[in-house]
Every structure is written in C-alpha cells, then in structure tokens.
C-alpha cells in the first residue's frame, strides 16, 4: 500500500499518452516554425557568435599597410591621391626581399592620369603576385529553375568592375564585395561570380591561392552552398594584425625586409575613408575592411571556413530535439526532466560547436530556448498543481486544527501530520515577569490584560527579530527555541541577544506603563543550550509543536532564579558565546528538581 502511495506521488504530474503525443508534436511544430520564420534571427546570430567565435593568435605571415590619419597628413587627403602614390609604395619594396603577395584593397577602376596610371602598372609588373580589387555590380533578375518555376535572383551580377586595362594586364584581381547578414555583420562571402563569360573570384581567395602558388602548394577550395556562398571564421579583433603606416613605408622609415615572403594587404585605416564593417569578433566596435580581408585570408590559410546547414535539416534536427524532450517532460519525473534538460542544454551547443569546427554552421538557439521553455513550462505546471493541492489540504486542516499548526505546516512543507520528534541541538529561552501575580491583584482585569499584551508584544518582536521560534505563552511567561524547526546560523548568539533585547525593550516599555497604568514591571530571562527532542507532542486529535528534555528544564529553572533585568545563561552556553558577550560567573546554582548544581553566568550589557 505504501509503495502504491509513493508511486502515485511520483507520477502525479504525468500526462496521458495521447495528450503527451499532442503536446510533443505541438512543441516540435512551433519550434520548426520559428526556425523557418526566423523572427529572432539577430539574436540567433549573436548567440552563435558567442558560441563559435574564438580569438586565436594571428598568422604572422599576414601584414597590413594602412592608409591612416598620419599618412593623409603627410601625403594629403586620400581623395586627392593619384596612382603615383600606389606606385611609390610598390617601388619602396626591396625586390630581393619582396613579399609573397601584395594586395591592394583599393579600387583602381578606369584611367585617370596617364603618368600615374603608367607608373602604377610599371611598378606592379615588377612582382608576380600583385592582387588588385574588383567589384561586383548586383541587380535583381527573374530567373527560371530547372523544374520550370521562376524566382527573383537578387544576386545577379550585372557587371564586374575591374582595374584599368594596363594594370589589369599585369596583376591579379578579386572582388571585395561583402555579404552582410540580417544583423549587418559580415560573416560570409561569395566565392566566385560570372558576368558576360568572365569569372571573378573573391579578393581573399585570390590572395590565398596566389600565396599557395608562390609557396609551391595547392589551395584548398572551400565548401559553398547552392548560391556559391561560404562563411569564414574570424581570428582576431581590430588592431591585432601587424600594422605599418603607408607613409612610413613610402618614406623609407620602415625596414621593408620585414615583408619578405609575407602576405601584405594595403587598405584604408582611417575612419573617414568609409571602409568599415561590423564583424562578429568585435561587437563593440567596427573593423576596417582591410582587417576583414586579413581575417578572411587567415581563415583560408587555416582551413576555417563553413557553410550553413540546409534549412530543412535545421528544421528536422530542432523539431526532433524538441519533440523528444517534450515527450520526456510530460512523463512527470522531475529529476529525469532536469537531467534531460541539463544534458540537452549542454549537448546542443557542444554539437553546434563541433559541427562548426567541421565546416557546418547551425544556429542552435531555437533548440536551446525551446528545451528551456518546455522545462520551465513543466516546472510551472507542477508548481501550480502542487500549490493548489497544498491549498486544498490546508483548507481541510483548518476545519479541525489550530491555525498556528496549519501555518507551521505551510511554512515547513511537511503535510504529513503525525506524532513524534527528533533530537536536535537547540537553545531554549524562558522569560517571565517578576511579581506579576501580586501586581495583577491590585489592578482591574482590563488593565492587567493591557499590560500583558504590550509586554508579550515586545517579547515576541525580540524573538522574531533574532530568528527564534515562539514555542508558547504560559500566562506571563514565554518559551522560545532556536535552531528548530529549521536550522539557524549563529543561533546561540541570537538566543542571548534576544534576552538582552527583551530586557532593554521592557525597560523602555515601563515609561508607557507608568504613564498609562501607573506601574512598572521587571522580568528575568534564562537560556540554556543542549540536546532536546523537538516535534509534534500530544495525541492524535490534539498536538503542539514544542521541545522537551533536560535542556528545556534547565532553561526554565535558570529563568526562575533570574532577578528583574537579569539574563542568566548556563556554562555550556557561555562557552559557545563568550567571544561575543561579556558575562559574570555567579557560581553553581541549585535548581528546583535537579540534584546536580548548574554553573550560571549573568550577561553584562
């Protein structure tokens, strides 16, 4: 019978098979729609960036020559430069210690002045691997798929703008267009594009493949999606690549031998040149375009490129995870639900990161959030159900039990009413008014009640202030325990502090009593510490939560010999609190009902 009761308790939140299947399917369908609709795409990108992006040491083969503020101050604003300045840079290199690749992330489209144009073409012809920037002009065009349907191609390349003819003939070139995601961050690029029979490759790929050719190696082609797009993994935030000022190189203030066998990228490094992008590796700032290209080349050198997993596969994976976990959550086993959620919340991001390291990009936030939502929903359902159950039990208890007991049950969460107790280390405090009986004989009953209520109110406040438990009122006496029914930190110190607070509070109360009733009161406090049995004491139809044992008896006897305004504590308690309070030893005291004397101390305050 006990096993049956426990089994029912264990499965009380379990959902029936049909409802379980419906809820699981509904949750999976909702997750699938979120993946397809992507309403939180920007948030998903942010989460993926934090999961995937990892700062690494930059490749020291990559160096940047930046057109910075100092270069423009020395050579004039960049808008006024001719091709001669580019020729001067190329001529500044030492042919015997030449870079492996020199790449200009600058547009040199169309002829401008013949002298400067010829100078740049001539200077570039000295080196085998000079890469210039081209640019793709996109437009939208209606195109037909193999199945006969039509779609709007928004990435149709209408034209490829290339370097002017003389420079085109002696250099290599690649387009510098970026692919910006919906949050305007650059994570991907188009691998190649074709227009009017001419195929152009990306700027970074052209640099990388030229370098591999220079070094006698074979470039590794990145995997792309059906549009020819792939992503690249960033290496470092702005300012991490080795940087040289354009003006310093041209003026000979830089030892150009440092560029030997390196990949040198030349580009804008001043904010006014409007060549800056948002990069996931540096979310708090922008990155110069030449640094984006440096990170791109670095990724190609290290083989750190990726493609998005297919949408249908992302939907399938996410829906399967959500369906499986929802089915588990509806089983009603909280511990199993918690473990399942924890495993999935860890396994899903780790799987996404593993896929990323193997060239597959999966935005897994929907799966992570969906598992958390299902777990919290089941937790909320269980909580509300349990609260309702307890409320019904409490309402039933109130019909035949004292309100104080019901409140204690509500706080402790112990809804099994039974007799018995447990042995615990506690501190017990007793306080009583001195001469109350004789005083009450000379006062009207209503005044006695008024005095007693004010006094008991002050005592109760002191007990609750110090985390004590009010055990009972015994006429004008009060009993309190500490460290029961729940554990209390520093409970022995708090018990002594309660005694001090009571004496001080009663002293301040006397001014009111003398004004209103023409009398004053005094009380004594006794406190002891030790083992006692605490729990429900009584019979099946009437019980009280209290403490019993010698510890309680000693505390009561100490209170009985305490003088007005005195707090007496036992030697056992004194040893525990002597670092916190000053106390005077008053000798061994004979206590009523005990054969052995008790060493007592009076607390000084």
């Amino acid at each position: 019978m006990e096993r049956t009761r426990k089994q029912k308790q264990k499965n009380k939140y379990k959902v029936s098979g049909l409802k379980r299947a419906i809820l699981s399917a509904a949750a999976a369908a909702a997750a699938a729609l979120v993946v397809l609709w992507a309403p939180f795409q920007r948030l998903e990108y942010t989460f993926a960036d934090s999961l995937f992006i990892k700062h690494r040491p930059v490749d020291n083969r990559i160096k940047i020559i930046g057109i910075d503020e100092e270069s423009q101050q020395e050579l004039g604003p960049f808008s006024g430069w001719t091709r001669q300045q580019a020729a001067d840079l190329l001529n500044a290199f030492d042919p015997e210690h030449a870079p492996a690749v020199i790449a200009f992330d600058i547009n040199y489209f169309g002829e401008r002045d013949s002298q400067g144009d010829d100078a740049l073409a001539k200077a570039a012809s000295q080196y085998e691997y000079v890469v210039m920037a081209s640019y793709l002009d996109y437009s939208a065009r209606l195109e037909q798929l193999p199945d006969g349907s039509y779609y709007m191609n928004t990435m149709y390349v209408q034209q490829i703008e290339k370097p002017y003819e003389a420079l085109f003939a002696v250099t290599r070139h690649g387009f510098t267009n970026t692919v910006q995601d919906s949050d305007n961050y650059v994570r991907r690029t188009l691998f190649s594009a074709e227009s009017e029979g001419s195929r152009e490759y990306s700027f970074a790929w052209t640099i990388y493949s030229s370098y591999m050719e220079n070094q006698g190696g074979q470039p590794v082609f990145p995997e792309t999606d059906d549009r020819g797009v792939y992503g690249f993994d960033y290496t470092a935030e702005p300012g991490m690549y080795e940087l040289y000022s354009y003006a310093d190189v041209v003026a000979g203030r830089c030892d150009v031998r440092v560029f030997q066998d390196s990949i040198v990228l030349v580009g804008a490094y001043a904010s006014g040149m409007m060549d800056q992008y948002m990069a996931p590796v540096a979310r708090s700032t922008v990155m110069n375009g030449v640094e984006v290209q440096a990170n791109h080349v670095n990724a190609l050198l290290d083989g750190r490129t990726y493609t998005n997993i297919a949408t249908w596969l992302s939907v399938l994976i996410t829906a399967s995870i959500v369906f499986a976990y929802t089915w588990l959550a509806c089983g009603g086993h909280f511990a199993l639900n918690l473990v399942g959620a924890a495993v999935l919340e860890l396994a899903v991001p780790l799987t996404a990161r593993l896929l990323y390291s193997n060239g597959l990009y999966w935005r897994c936030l929907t799966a992570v959030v969906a598992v958390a939502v299902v777990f919290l929903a089941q937790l909320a359902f269980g909580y509300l159900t349990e609260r309702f159950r307890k409320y019904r039990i409490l309402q039933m208890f109130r019909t035949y039990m004292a309100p104080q007991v019901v409140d204690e049950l509500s706080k402790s969460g112990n809804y099994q009413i039974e007799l018995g107790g447990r042995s615990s280390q506690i501190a017990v405090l007793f306080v009583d008014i001195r001469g109350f009986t004789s005083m009450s004989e000379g006062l009207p009953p209503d005044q006695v009640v008024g005095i007693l209520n004010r006094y008991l109110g002050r005592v109760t406040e002191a007990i609750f202030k110090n985390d004590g438990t009010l055990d009972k009122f015994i006429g004008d006496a009060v009993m309190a325990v500490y460290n029961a029914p729940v554990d209390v930190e520093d409970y022995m110190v708090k018990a002594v502090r309660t005694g001090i607070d009571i004496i001080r509070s009663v002293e301040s109360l006397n001014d009111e009593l003398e004004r209103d009733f023409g009398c004053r009161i005094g009380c004594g406090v006794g406190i002891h510490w030790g083992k006692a049995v605490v729990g429900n004491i009584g019979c099946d139809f009437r019980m009280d939560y209290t403490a019993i044992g010698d510890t309680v008896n000693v505390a009561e006897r100490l209170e009985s010999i305490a003088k007005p305004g005195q707090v007496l504590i036992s030697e056992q308690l004194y040893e525990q609190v002597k670092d916190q309070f000053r106390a005077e030893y008053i000798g061994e005291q004979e206590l009523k009902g005990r054969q052995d004397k008790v060493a007592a101390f009076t607390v000084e305050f």
Side-chain angles (χ1 to χ4, degrees):
M1 186 172 181
E2 178 66 17
R3 174 181 291 183
T4 301
R5 186 186 67 80
K6 290 183 177 180
Q7 187 66 30
K8 289 181 178 179
Q9 181 77 7
K10 184 177 181 182
N11 296 326
K12 62 184 174 183
Y13 305 129
K14 186 175 181 180
V15 180
S16 65
L18 179 59
K19 289 183 178 179
R20 196 174 183 181
I22 293 173
L23 288 173
S24 300
L33 287 175
V34 171
V35 175
L36 288 171
W37 181 30
F40 312 112
Q41 194 170 64
R42 293 193 174 195
L43 187 60
E44 287 182 319
Y45 279 129
T46 301
F47 179 76
D49 291 341
S50 65
L51 184 64
F52 300 149
I53 300 299
K54 178 182 178 182
H55 290 81
R56 299 176 174 85
V58 299
D59 194 321
N60 58 16
R61 293 174 291 180
I62 302 174
K63 296 175 173 58
I64 296 175
I65 297 177
I67 304 173
D68 52 12
E69 302 288 352
E70 291 75 12
S71 298
Q72 294 190 80
Q73 290 176 5
E74 184 173 334
L75 303 176
F78 180 75
S79 59
W81 287 17
T82 67
R83 276 68 186 271
Q84 183 62 53
Q85 277 79 7
D88 293 341
L89 179 69
L90 289 171
N91 291 329
F93 291 115
D94 181 358
E96 294 184 4
H97 302 90
V101 180
I102 306 169
F104 285 81
D105 187 15
I106 303 169
N107 297 332
Y108 292 113
F109 304 151
E111 296 178 351
R112 295 181 61 178
D113 70 283
S114 58
Q115 184 176 356
D117 293 349
D118 292 343
L120 176 55
K122 181 179 179 182
S125 67
Q126 301 177 75
Y127 306 96
E128 184 176 359
Y129 300 102
V130 176
V131 180
M132 293 294 174
S134 60
Y135 192 81
L136 305 179
D137 285 334
Y138 291 107
S139 67
R141 189 175 78 166
L142 190 65
E143 295 185 353
Q144 187 175 20
L145 293 172
D147 61 3
S149 61
Y150 289 87
Y151 78 103
M152 184 61 69
N153 182 5
T154 59
M155 296 185 66
Y156 171 69
V157 179
Q158 185 175 6
Q159 180 184 355
I160 301 176
E161 295 193 51
K162 300 178 181 179
Y164 61 93
E165 186 175 348
L167 185 61
F168 182 84
V170 296
T171 60
R172 304 181 180 207
H173 39 87
F175 56 84
T176 57
N177 301 66
T178 61
V179 176
Q180 292 178 298
D181 289 321
S182 59
D183 60 352
N184 297 322
Y185 280 78
V186 176
R187 302 178 181 86
R188 297 168 181 79
T189 186
L190 188 64
F191 178 64
S192 66
E194 186 175 357
S195 176
E196 299 178 353
S198 175
R199 178 163 292 277
E200 192 81 354
Y201 293 90
S202 72
F203 186 64
W205 169 259
T206 306
I207 296 170
Y208 161 68
S209 59
S210 297
Y211 177 78
M212 296 302 295
E213 182 180 327
N214 175 274
Q215 300 296 306
Q218 291 292 326
V220 178
F221 287 84
E223 294 289 336
T224 65
D225 61 18
D226 54 2
R227 299 180 303 161
V229 174
Y230 69 93
F232 58 92
D233 186 22
Y234 280 81
T235 299
E237 58 189 15
M240 299 303 293
Y241 284 95
E242 197 172 331
L243 174 66
Y244 299 86
S245 174
Y246 193 103
D248 288 344
V249 177
V250 171
R253 294 189 293 268
C254 172
D255 186 354
V256 294
R257 289 178 295 179
V258 300
F259 301 115
Q260 183 176 355
D261 297 329
S262 297
I263 298 173
V264 177
L265 288 91
V266 184
Y269 221 83
S271 57
M273 297 182 69
M274 306 300 291
D275 187 29
Q276 294 176 321
Y277 299 90
M278 297 172 68
V281 75
R283 304 194 68 86
S284 60
T285 185
V286 291
M287 178 177 284
N288 292 304
V290 69
E291 292 177 309
V292 174
Q293 298 295 349
N295 273 278
H296 190 170
V297 173
N298 206 152
L300 289 169
L301 287 169
D302 295 342
R304 291 183 286 108
T305 62
Y306 60 84
T307 56
N308 285 6
I309 67 171
T311 301
W312 68 267
L313 184 57
S314 180
V315 169
L316 180 61
I317 294 174
T318 303
S320 299
I321 291 172
V322 175
F323 182 92
Y325 179 69
T326 305
W327 181 272
L328 175 69
C330 290
H333 302 274
F334 175 76
L336 190 59
N337 295 350
L338 180 61
V339 171
V343 169
L344 286 174
E345 294 293 74
L346 182 63
V348 168
L350 287 177
T351 301
R353 189 171 178 82
L354 179 63
L355 291 172
Y356 183 77
S357 64
N358 286 276
L360 291 173
Y361 187 94
W362 174 38
R363 295 198 304 271
C364 63
L365 181 61
T366 299
V368 171
V369 171
V371 169
V373 168
V374 171
F375 173 76
L376 292 175
Q378 177 64 7
L379 190 65
F381 173 76
Y383 173 78
L384 293 174
T385 303
E386 182 67 11
R387 289 282 294 182
F388 181 69
R389 185 185 72 86
K390 290 180 178 180
Y391 173 78
R392 292 182 61 187
I393 293 175
L394 289 175
Q395 290 301 106
M396 179 182 65
F397 285 165
R398 291 184 194 279
T399 62
Y400 61 87
M401 296 182 66
Q404 297 91 324
V405 177
V406 177
D407 292 340
E408 180 60 36
L409 290 172
S410 177
K411 293 176 184 177
S412 66
N414 178 17
Y415 286 81
Q416 301 300 321
I417 306 301
E418 56 188 17
L419 294 174
R422 60 186 178 88
S423 178
S424 299
Q425 289 281 358
I426 63 171
V428 182
L429 177 148
F430 276 87
V431 58
D432 192 7
I433 298 177
R434 296 294 174 257
F436 181 74
T437 302
S438 58
M439 182 190 70
S440 63
E441 290 177 353
L443 294 173
D446 59 332
Q447 291 188 13
V448 173
V449 172
I451 293 171
L452 189 59
N453 286 342
R454 294 192 192 186
Y455 155 74
L456 292 177
R458 294 294 184 96
V459 172
T460 302
E461 287 179 5
I463 293 170
F464 289 164
K465 173 185 173 183
N466 291 285
D467 300 330
T469 298
L470 181 61
D471 187 287
K472 62 175 65 69
F473 295 126
I474 313 169
D476 60 311
V478 179
M479 173 183 171
V481 297
Y482 294 79
N483 207 42
V486 294
D487 294 339
V488 176
E489 187 177 359
D490 296 330
Y491 68 93
M492 291 170 283
V493 172
K494 291 179 178 179
V496 177
R497 188 173 293 124
T498 302
I500 296 172
D501 290 345
I502 288 173
I503 298 300
R504 287 174 174 170
S505 182
V506 169
E507 288 175 354
S508 65
L509 175 64
N510 276 325
D511 293 336
E512 297 180 19
L513 297 181
E514 189 167 21
R515 183 190 66 229
D516 297 337
F517 304 106
C519 68
R520 302 176 69 88
I521 63 173
C523 61
V525 178
I527 313 172
H528 183 45
W529 167 76
K531 282 190 175 182
V533 176
V534 292
N536 293 314
I537 309 298
C539 60
D540 291 338
F541 56 86
R542 183 66 182 179
M543 63 184 73
D544 284 317
Y545 184 87
T546 189
I548 59 174
D550 187 60
T551 299
V552 179
N553 296 334
V554 171
E556 184 180 16
R557 299 297 187 267
L558 286 174
E559 174 269 314
S560 68
I561 65 172
K563 298 176 181 179
Q566 191 176 48
V567 177
L568 292 185
I569 63 175
S570 63
E571 183 179 18
Q572 292 92 324
L573 180 56
Y574 171 73
E575 292 297 327
Q576 301 298 320
V577 300
K578 61 183 179 182
D579 293 336
Q580 301 288 329
F581 302 97
R582 295 171 56 190
E584 180 184 353
Y585 178 62
I586 61 172
E588 294 187 343
Q589 305 293 315
E590 290 186 2
L591 302 181
K592 184 179 179 181
R594 288 182 60 89
Q595 294 183 352
D596 298 331
K597 294 182 178 180
V598 174
F601 291 77
T602 178
V603 180
E604 298 179 1
F605 54 92

